[in-house]
Amino acid sequence: MKIYLVGGAVRDGILSLPVKDKDYVVVGGSTEEMFALGYSQVGRDFPVFLHPKTQQEYALARTERKSGQGYSGFSCDANKEVTLEQDLLRRDLTINAMAQDDQGNLYDPYGGMADIESRQLRHVSDAFIEDPLRVLRVARFAARFAHLGFTIAQETIALMQSICDSGELAYLTPERVWQELDKALSSQNPEVFFEQLRSCGALKVLFPEIDALFGVPQPEKWHPEIDSGIHTMMVLQASAKLTDKKTIRFAALLHDLGKAITPAELWPKHHGHGQKGLPIIKKLVQRIKAPNEYKELALLCSDQHQNIHNALELRAETIIKIFDKGDFWRKPQRLTDLLLCCQADIQGRTGFEQAQYPQSEFLTHCFNIAKEVDVQQVISDGFKGAEIKQQLSIRRAEAISLYKKSQVQ
């Protein structure tokens, strides 16, 4: 029985990237032998085991054969005769199909090292087309490694297109789609994920709401890039430069979905697109089962980003209404997150990449001033019940009005 380190740990070690998880493949072993050594099995479908001390994953070398539809429609053979080369052959990309023994010797039967050196994401074999999840995985790797210069090999893009044409993407579960999307949002270039999905035809299948933005024009005065889809990708890129927080990046991605349903005769204007996008966002997040924290910020950003852009001209009472609607009094971090989304929206435009966003400092200051209004003083002044909230809003607005006047002077 021989044990090899495989997959991402080998790849990331070669690229001098942090190695988070280590996966191992066991060649010449059996389920009975793994149990005898104290390993516990994970699930029933595949021979994957957890080390009794480290809890790292050890899988018996296996081959796979397509037996159904979707990414789970496979039967596997994990008998003791399966070789390391056979196990590596079933993997998606050559850079993920390398192994190391306990002496550090590299096993690279399918040219993974050469593809690392040439910065190529290339499929291992034509069996690639049997698993539709690989379309998302390759797009995600393209996003993750874009800053290192990696691109997808043309022949691999052709296979991704074949998967899209086959209809197999329809069999992906929402959980797996969300899992890949969420990982892509963690990358330095999350926009690449969606650009690659669009290039092979997967975006219109998996995320039609985003795909529909491409080709929809905006006013050139405010959007020199003109195309709403291009703008959305630029906003997502801008958000990734501003923050690592995935909820903010997700909200930035969805903030303009309402523009896709503007009647063509009204182009390039999109009045009320933020509010029109709310039902579209709700439908999307429900379909892909995005967590509530992602949904709530995305809805808030779509609904309020135009108001936030116009913050310097808003009445104090309107600003208080925005704070109330966002529930910032209980969740002040949400204001900070919203402001970053809106800053990304401004900077995600051709020629505006370095634009200042004074609205952030202004609204943060307004919020801090309003927050200082003492509710206990309102109660002491004799207000009761619903009057307390009403009076609190009035006094908060007065405090902001005084601040705005001082800024003008």
Side-chain angles (χ1 to χ4, degrees):
M1 189 168 73
K2 293 184 178 180
I3 296 176
Y4 300 88
L5 180 68
V6 293
V10 177
R11 175 201 67 223
D12 291 348
I14 293 171
L15 288 168
S16 298
L17 297 173
V19 176
K20 297 180 180 179
D21 300 311
K22 291 186 176 182
D23 295 321
Y24 297 85
V25 66
V26 180
V27 177
S30 67
T31 298
E32 293 73 22
E33 288 174 298
M34 298 300 284
F35 284 146
L37 291 171
Y39 288 77
S40 57
Q41 188 167 2
V42 180
R44 299 178 180 178
D45 298 331
F46 296 107
V48 180
F49 303 83
L50 296 180
H51 191 281
K53 293 183 179 180
T54 67
Q55 296 299 297
Q56 291 173 331
E57 290 191 357
Y58 288 69
L60 297 182
R62 66 182 187 264
T63 59
E64 293 177 346
R65 182 173 59 84
K66 185 75 168 174
S67 58
Q69 293 173 316
Y71 71 92
S72 60
F74 292 88
S75 59
C76 73
D77 178 10
N79 73 73
K80 298 179 69 168
E81 305 305 315
V82 176
T83 66
L84 176 63
E85 289 75 15
Q86 287 175 314
D87 182 88
L88 296 177
L89 182 63
R90 66 179 176 79
R91 298 173 186 270
D92 50 9
L93 298 172
T94 60
I95 66 170
N96 297 330
M98 297 182 288
Q100 280 183 332
D101 61 21
D102 56 3
Q103 301 298 312
N105 297 310
L106 183 68
Y107 294 81
D108 179 24
Y110 305 110
M113 180 61 80
D115 282 336
I116 284 179
E117 292 173 350
S118 63
R119 297 301 196 249
Q120 288 281 289
L121 300 173
R122 190 189 316 277
H123 61 282
V124 176
S125 74
D126 287 345
F128 178 93
I129 63 173
E130 295 177 350
D131 185 356
L133 185 63
R134 288 176 171 176
V135 172
L136 286 162
R137 280 176 55 82
V138 174
R140 195 234 310 161
F141 282 124
R144 181 181 175 187
F145 297 129
H147 70 287
L148 297 179
F150 276 85
T151 57
I152 305 174
Q154 286 301 313
E155 57 268 34
T156 302
I157 291 176
L159 292 185
M160 292 167 68
Q161 291 171 334
S162 296
I163 293 174
C164 295
D165 294 341
S166 73
E168 280 276 302
L169 290 177
Y171 296 97
L172 292 174
T173 65
E175 291 81 4
R176 293 311 297 266
V177 172
W178 170 253
Q179 187 178 55
E180 294 299 321
L181 167 56
D182 193 43
K183 289 179 179 178
L185 289 174
S186 298
S187 65
Q188 287 191 33
N189 297 91
E191 76 283 355
V192 172
F193 175 74
F194 298 96
E195 290 167 353
Q196 292 299 338
L197 290 182
R198 184 167 181 260
S199 72
C200 69
L203 191 65
K204 63 184 176 184
V205 177
L206 298 172
F207 307 105
E209 301 88 348
I210 299 171
D211 187 70
L213 290 170
F214 288 90
V216 176
Q218 306 162 106
E220 187 174 2
K221 178 181 178 181
W222 306 113
H223 290 277
E225 71 284 352
I226 299 177
D227 190 283
S228 296
I230 293 174
H231 167 61
T232 295
M233 294 298 100
M234 294 177 70
V235 173
L236 181 55
Q237 182 183 52
S239 72
K241 292 179 179 178
L242 291 170
T243 178
D244 291 333
K245 203 166 182 178
K246 291 183 289 185
T247 51
I248 297 175
R249 297 179 178 195
F250 185 69
L253 172 69
L254 304 187
H255 81 288
D256 266 354
L257 292 188
K259 289 180 177 178
I261 61 172
T262 300
E265 59 268 23
L266 299 180
W267 289 352
K269 295 182 178 180
H270 299 276
H271 292 301
H273 69 274
Q275 291 67 47
K276 292 175 182 176
L278 299 180
I280 303 174
I281 293 173
K282 290 176 182 177
K283 183 179 178 181
L284 170 60
V285 297
Q286 182 178 20
R287 187 181 71 250
I288 64 175
K289 300 187 184 304
N292 278 338
E293 59 179 323
Y294 287 76
K295 178 182 74 172
E296 290 171 1
L297 185 60
L299 289 171
L300 183 62
C301 181
S302 181
D303 187 42
Q304 294 296 326
H305 68 273
Q306 284 300 121
N307 278 335
I308 301 299
H309 294 335
N310 297 327
L312 301 178
E313 289 78 45
L314 295 180
R315 295 167 59 244
E317 292 79 6
T318 304
I319 293 174
I320 294 299
K321 288 180 181 179
I322 294 172
F323 293 167
D324 287 342
K325 194 167 188 178
D327 196 18
F328 299 149
W329 313 113
R330 292 192 309 122
K331 301 176 181 179
Q333 182 59 45
R334 189 178 285 179
L335 172 61
T336 303
D337 293 349
L338 175 61
L339 292 174
L340 283 171
C341 291
C342 294
Q343 182 177 345
D345 182 28
I346 292 299
Q347 294 178 344
R349 310 173 189 214
T350 301
F352 289 79
E353 292 85 355
Q354 304 302 320
Q356 298 298 305
Y357 198 64
Q359 293 91 329
S360 288
E361 183 178 354
F362 171 71
L363 285 173
T364 299
H365 203 72
C366 286
F367 179 68
N368 290 333
I369 289 172
K371 198 168 55 173
E372 291 175 2
V373 175
D374 187 3
V375 65
Q376 293 302 321
Q377 184 61 53
V378 175
I379 295 172
S380 297
D381 290 342
F383 294 95
K384 298 178 181 180
E387 293 177 339
I388 296 174
K389 184 177 180 181
Q390 183 181 22
Q391 185 63 209
L392 193 60
S393 294
I394 291 171
R395 296 187 185 189
R396 284 169 169 168
E398 288 174 347
I400 290 176
S401 292
L402 289 173
Y403 166 62
K404 291 183 68 177
K405 288 178 181 178
S406 69
Q407 294 302 106
V408 172
Q409 294 170 355

